[in-house]
């Protein structure tokens, strides 16, 4: 049987004490933020609208009564382990209706995993129930698989069969595996353009894709799909407002997954996902939103956003949010070749310094008590590096890690939303990486809608200081519309930051080949996203050699 006890959705979901957790969270928040009783009560009333499994006595729907294809949102897989991988789908015969067209009914779904794309050699199969409480999403932690192997998977309900996906497991933990090719993507504002980059990435030979956040944006999408400028489709008015409720966020995932290139890239490769801000709200920090709303109200919104994220991503039950809290930072391994420490730099951070405006670092941003990771995640990361035996220590995360001066001269402004706004926390991590002997350190970054390659310097203000590692920023899939190879600030940034080795303002992704000798990064870019069908090309390639940190142009 393929469902493990610990990770199996039913056991984990049934035992989730939502209400107790929510009450505890609200109490904690009320103390910390000196809230009125009224505000906390209002938040509770809101958040308890997130139903636990079994909250409804949902009748079972006869699949024969599903008259439209329920697999409109595609399939996905994620978080490969040596013997297992998580497979996902979500039923929605009417994806632009709030309940996906299925009402408050359970649906039985069968699944199968095969060695071949024709499903002749099926190695695992089973049946699960799609619950209305989880937006009819389906996830199976398929265990008992061979490490380091490729598989095909699909789902079925009634006579409807889903598209098939291709996925793989990780190599055995002690395997001296020779190589791995990954891609990093981020920032796919639907209203800014087509997912042409995803279409190209679907056809690349990569083992795993890291999504570094801004999978969706909360902003209104007009009837023409914004910059997509549809002439043959009219999007419903329900998308033309900012997402705030669980129904809004669920619907927004349906809109995004209606894009065929996004479905294709999920079907082609396993994903390892982490969120940034826009899956919830622009530049939020823990319980603080960008408009200074009542934190209890915002936590209610965050709970809805986190819940919809989990429902729509190939994540295990370990990542199921409890109210406004979710365990998203986690560790994966690829034999002895790589350890991946996947961070969450939104949920635990202190509010941005200097009102989150570009600012010269000062006492407010440099306060050593401030944190981007939160204490628990910082400790977990440092401990993980200390225990790591991997050749490469890879840190997929959200915001720019390396220093980024926005102006020439000593008094340069920096982004208070990025690690530059939390320099004490960054300094502790850099000291920890050195103390742990992390020799081959690779940081993967999203958020900024441009591609960068940085040498991570021991002292960013001293170009002659030691290089500790490499940071690759993957640009955006769509956000920022077409962009330009050299944005207006290109010359300033390149001159102000000698450790910035590459800067390209177009859309795309970065592909990274890791092996026992080097990491090779290829920055893949498309010239336009506001019209479909642009070609992809490699804007630049760099190599970092094992034991010799720093980027070398290829
Ligand atoms: Fe973004
Ligand atoms: Ca962002």
């Amino acid at each position: 049987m393929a469902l493990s006890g610990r990770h199996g959705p039913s056991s984990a979901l049934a035992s989730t004490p939502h209400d107790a957790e929510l009450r505890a969270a609200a109490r904690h928040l009320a103390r910390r933020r000196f809230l009125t009783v009224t505000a906390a009560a209002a938040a509770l009333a809101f958040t308890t609208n997130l139903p636990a499994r079994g909250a409804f006595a949902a009748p079972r729907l006869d699949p024969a009564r599903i008259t439209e294809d329920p697999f409109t949102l595609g399939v996905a897989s994620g978080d490969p382990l040596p013997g297992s991988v998580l497979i996902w789908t979500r039923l929605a015969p009417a994806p632009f209706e709030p309940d996906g067209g299925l009402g408050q009914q359970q649906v039985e779904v069968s699944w199968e995993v095969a060695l071949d794309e024709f499903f002749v050699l099926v190695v695992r199969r089973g049946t699960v129930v799609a619950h209305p409480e989880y937006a009819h999403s389906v996830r199976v932690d398929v265990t008992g698989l061979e490490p380091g192997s490729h598989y095909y998977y699909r789902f079925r309900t009634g006579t409807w069969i889903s598209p098939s996906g291709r996925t793989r497991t990780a190599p055995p933990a002690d395997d001296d595996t020779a190589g791995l090719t990954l891609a990093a993507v981020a920032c796919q504002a639907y209203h800014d353009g087509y997912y042409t980059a995803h279409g190209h990435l679907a056809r690349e030979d990569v083992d795993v894709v890291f999504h570094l956040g801004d999978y969706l944006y909360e902003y209104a999408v007009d009837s023409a799909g914004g910059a997509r400028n549809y002439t043959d489709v009219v999007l419903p008015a329900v998308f033309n407002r900012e997402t705030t409720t669980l129904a809004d966020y669920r619907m927004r995932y349906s809109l995004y997954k209606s894009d065929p290139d996004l479905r294709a890239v999920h079907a082609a490769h396993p994903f390892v996902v982490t969120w940034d801000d826009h899956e919830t709200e622009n530049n939020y920090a823990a319980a603080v939103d960008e408009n200074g709303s009542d934190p209890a109200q915002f936590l209610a919104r965050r709970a809805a956003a986190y819940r919809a994220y989990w429902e729509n991503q190939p994540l295990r039950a370990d990542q199921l949010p409890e109210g406004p809290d979710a365990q998203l930072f986690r560790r994966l391994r690829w034999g002895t070749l790589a350890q991946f420490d996947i961070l969450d730099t939104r949920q635990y951070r202190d509010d941005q310094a200097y009102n989150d405006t570009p600012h010269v670092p000062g006492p407010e941003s440099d306060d050593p008590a401030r944190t981007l990771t939160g204490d628990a995640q910082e400790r977990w990361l440092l401990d993980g590096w200390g225990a790591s035996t991997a050749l490469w220590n890879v840190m997929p995360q959200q915001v720019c890690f390396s220093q980024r001066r926005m102006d020439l001269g000593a008094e340069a402004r920096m982004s208070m939303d990025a690690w530059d706004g939390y320099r004490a926390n960054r300094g502790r991590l850099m000291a920890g990486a050195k103390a742990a002997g992390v020799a081959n350190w690779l940081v993967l970054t999203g958020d900024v809608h441009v591609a960068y390659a940085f040498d991570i310097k021991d002292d960013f203000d001293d170009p002659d200081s030691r290089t500790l590692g490499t940071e690759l920023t993957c640009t955006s899939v769509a956000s920022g519309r077409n962009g330009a190879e050299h944005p207006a600030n290109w010359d300033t940034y390149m001159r102000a930051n000698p450790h910035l080795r590459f800067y390209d303002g177009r859309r795309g992704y970065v592909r990274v080949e890791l092996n026992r000798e080097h990491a090779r990064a290829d920055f893949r870019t498309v010239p336009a996203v506001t019209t479909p069908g642009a070609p992809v090309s490699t804007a630049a390639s760099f190599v970092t050699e094992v034991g010799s940190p720093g980027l070398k142009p290829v």
Side-chain angles (χ1 to χ4, degrees):
M1 185 57 210
L3 288 176
S4 78
R6 202 173 87 76
H7 293 303
S10 48
S11 60
L13 299 192
S15 65
T16 302
H18 283 274
D19 290 352
E21 289 292 333
L22 285 167
R23 277 193 293 274
R27 273 199 304 272
H28 171 71
L29 200 81
R31 273 198 303 274
R32 198 156 72 91
R33 301 279 175 191
F34 306 102
L35 293 174
T36 63
V37 171
T38 316
L44 265 180
F46 188 99
T47 47
T48 47
N49 286 334
L50 307 188
R53 178 170 167 265
F56 312 138
R60 189 67 60 89
L61 175 67
D62 176 1
R65 297 181 57 194
I66 301 175
T67 54
E68 304 285 333
D69 180 7
F71 295 108
T72 55
L73 306 179
V75 298
S77 70
D79 282 21
L81 297 174
S84 69
V85 67
L86 193 289
I87 61 172
W88 172 96
T89 191
R90 187 182 141 208
L91 308 181
F96 292 172
E97 287 175 21
D99 58 6
L102 289 172
Q104 297 300 316
Q105 302 180 89
Q106 298 180 357
V107 185
E108 196 170 274
V109 179
S110 59
W111 56 271
E112 54 187 358
V113 171
L115 297 175
D116 66 303
E117 62 186 303
F118 305 108
F119 292 86
V120 173
L121 302 167
V122 173
V123 294
R124 287 285 180 280
R125 56 162 52 101
T127 301
V128 287
V129 173
H131 292 278
E133 297 90 327
Y134 293 96
H136 297 101
S137 62
V138 170
R139 71 198 62 238
V140 182
D141 189 359
V142 184
T143 58
L145 301 175
E146 286 296 316
S149 301
H150 284 97
Y151 293 97
Y152 295 83
Y153 61 96
R154 65 183 180 185
F155 300 87
R156 184 166 61 86
T157 188
T159 55
W160 298 101
I161 297 175
S162 77
S164 60
R166 183 173 185 261
T167 191
R168 61 160 303 159
T169 53
D174 59 353
D175 188 72
D176 291 332
T177 192
L180 154 72
T181 305
L182 63 86
V185 295
C187 296
Q188 49 191 42
Y190 181 94
H191 55 275
D192 270 2
Y194 289 91
Y195 297 157
T196 308
H198 278 322
H200 289 295
L201 178 54
R203 293 183 286 276
E204 297 248 19
D205 183 15
V206 301
D207 294 292
V208 60
V209 176
F210 288 86
H211 200 299
L212 305 175
D214 292 355
Y215 190 98
L216 64 69
Y217 283 69
E218 75 276 26
Y219 303 131
V221 180
D222 68 21
S223 61
R228 293 182 176 222
N229 200 18
Y230 293 142
T231 53
D232 54 343
V233 181
V234 178
L235 296 180
V238 68
F239 298 121
N240 204 358
R241 63 169 189 248
E242 187 165 326
T243 53
T244 57
T245 67
L246 180 58
D248 290 341
Y249 285 109
R250 284 171 166 171
M251 290 281 284
R252 193 58 63 89
Y253 284 102
S254 303
L255 174 65
Y256 275 51
K257 286 172 183 287
S258 72
D259 184 289
D261 287 326
L262 182 58
R263 294 199 306 275
V265 75
H266 275 298
H269 313 298
F271 269 53
V272 176
V273 300
T274 186
W275 54 43
D276 193 27
D277 51 338
H278 287 287
E279 288 90 347
T280 303
E281 192 255 8
N282 180 47
N283 283 15
Y284 78 95
V288 181
D289 77 0
E290 74 176 323
N291 301 317
S293 306
D294 179 342
Q297 291 285 350
F298 178 66
L299 276 197
R301 181 180 180 182
R302 191 178 97 176
Y306 283 13
R307 172 66 167 266
Y309 183 82
W310 183 84
E311 288 172 346
N312 284 281
Q313 299 290 2
L315 288 167
R316 286 190 171 81
D318 303 316
Q319 276 68 52
L320 173 66
E322 294 182 357
D325 302 314
Q327 177 67 50
L328 196 62
F329 68 82
R330 61 201 190 279
R331 180 167 292 131
L332 296 170
R333 294 184 177 83
W334 208 262
T336 62
L337 183 70
Q339 172 171 306
F340 300 102
D341 296 300
I342 301 118
L343 303 193
D344 172 358
T345 60
R346 284 291 159 193
Q347 191 175 173
Y348 315 102
R349 66 158 74 196
D350 282 303
D351 196 14
Q352 291 91 346
Y354 302 112
N355 284 323
D356 199 9
T357 51
H359 205 278
V360 180
E364 189 181 328
S365 60
D366 288 347
D367 179 352
R370 295 181 75 253
T371 180
L372 186 62
T373 56
D375 294 340
Q377 185 173 204
E378 179 181 326
R379 242 182 348 266
W380 166 87
L381 181 58
L382 296 177
D383 290 349
W385 281 339
S388 174
T389 53
L391 185 64
W392 292 94
N393 284 279
V394 185
M395 191 173 103
Q397 53 96 53
Q398 295 79 17
V399 292
C400 273
F401 187 80
S402 297
Q403 177 167 287
R404 197 168 41 123
R405 292 172 170 271
M406 297 175 163
D407 311 294
L408 294 163
E411 294 288 279
R413 293 167 306 146
M414 299 182 196
S415 168
M416 292 296 106
D417 186 59
W419 288 87
D420 280 336
Y422 302 80
R423 298 202 296 187
N425 195 173
R426 180 172 65 195
R428 291 193 296 272
L429 291 192
M430 290 172 64
K434 283 190 285 184
V438 170
N440 303 296
W441 184 22
L442 178 60
V443 176
L444 302 176
T445 302
D447 181 54
V448 279
H449 309 170
V450 296
Y452 294 131
F454 293 102
D455 288 338
I456 300 172
K457 302 302 287 187
D458 198 5
D459 176 356
F460 285 111
D461 292 324
D462 176 7
D464 294 327
S465 70
R466 241 176 95 192
T467 297
L468 301 181
T470 299
E471 179 176 7
L472 303 171
T473 300
C474 66
T475 193
S476 63
V477 168
S479 308
R481 303 193 173 187
N482 294 338
E485 183 177 0
H486 287 178
N489 59 16
W490 188 89
D491 195 55
T492 301
Y493 278 31
M494 292 302 284
R495 287 165 61 202
N497 301 283
H499 58 284
L500 174 56
R501 308 289 305 282
F502 175 68
Y503 174 10
D504 188 303
R506 291 171 293 186
R507 309 287 73 84
Y509 52 93
V510 65
R511 183 182 67 204
V512 184
E513 181 201 339
L514 285 181
N515 61 34
R516 298 266 158 193
E517 285 79 47
H518 63 245
R520 179 198 166 105
D522 296 303
F523 286 96
R524 305 280 279 160
T525 59
V526 294
V529 293
T530 55
T531 49
V536 68
S537 61
T538 299
S541 300
F542 294 89
V543 159
T544 296
E545 287 164 6
V546 164
S548 173
L551 291 153
K552 297 180 177 65
V554 181

